[in-house]
Amino acid sequence: MIKTSELIWQDTQHQVLLKMIDEINAKELDASVFRRLCEYAEMHFVMEEEYMQQLNYPFIDEHILAHDKFRAELKCMRLEHHSYDEIFRIALSEFLSEWLKGHIFGIDKQLEDFILKSNFK
Ligand SMILES: [Fe+2]
Ligand SMILES: [Fe+2]
């Protein structure tokens, strides 16, 4: 099936993460970048979760569970690394890249298709 449109808000928000990964890869990690990442992720997850609730999305539980795992992992990384050093930066970059491949190109795409078929975009 040819896709004729995409879910603009979701795609735009995913682009933000892509830019953040580039930023993290390009320079030193610091507290403000990490805080921005956490705030961005929370804002984005809440928005997807609200859509799923509004639309009675059938796979809502597993999707929220995946978001919760991401939330917990970020918290864990912050606690495990006592400074924003190179090791933290690399670990974070790898984690986010995996997330992009596994979640954003995976179950987020399924959600996108579902929302696009609804009247509530
Ligand atoms: Fe997403
Ligand atoms: Fe998601």
Side-chain angles (χ1 to χ4, degrees):
M1 196 176 88
I2 297 166
K3 211 166 178 188
T4 51
S5 63
E6 63 187 8
L7 192 56
I8 305 297
W9 65 262
Q10 191 198 38
D11 194 56
T12 306
Q13 290 181 10
H14 288 159
Q15 295 298 327
V16 173
L17 181 65
L18 220 98
K19 284 206 188 98
M20 276 191 175
I21 295 174
D22 284 346
E23 191 184 338
I24 290 164
N25 286 336
K27 62 176 193 183
E28 282 180 14
L29 181 66
D30 61 26
S32 79
V33 174
F34 190 75
R35 195 178 341 104
R36 224 172 349 110
L37 173 68
C38 294
E39 286 168 4
Y40 153 79
E42 195 49 38
M43 177 275 297
H44 175 66
F45 289 167
V46 166
M47 197 155 166
E48 283 189 355
E49 288 163 11
E50 277 172 3
Y51 267 84
M52 288 191 271
Q53 271 157 5
Q54 290 291 330
L55 295 170
N56 288 320
Y57 185 56
F59 308 107
I60 185 169
D61 290 344
E62 64 171 83
H63 203 128
I64 292 179
L65 204 73
H67 287 174
D68 284 346
K69 271 179 85 176
F70 181 100
R71 290 171 166 118
E73 185 65 32
L74 269 195
K75 215 179 257 180
C76 222
M77 280 183 140
R78 178 67 191 89
L79 293 173
E80 277 171 5
H81 295 88
H82 301 293
S83 67
Y84 293 96
D85 59 9
E86 198 55 9
I87 295 167
F88 191 1
R89 189 174 74 95
I90 291 166
L92 185 62
S93 169
E94 282 172 1
F95 171 65
L96 295 175
S97 299
E98 280 306 308
W99 177 259
L100 197 77
K101 278 183 267 169
H103 187 90
I104 294 179
F105 297 149
I107 67 175
D108 270 359
K109 281 281 157 206
Q110 290 170 12
L111 175 62
E112 179 190 33
D113 290 342
F114 188 84
I115 298 173
L116 283 172
K117 282 183 202 135
S118 77
N119 294 318
F120 187 65
K121 298 172 185 94

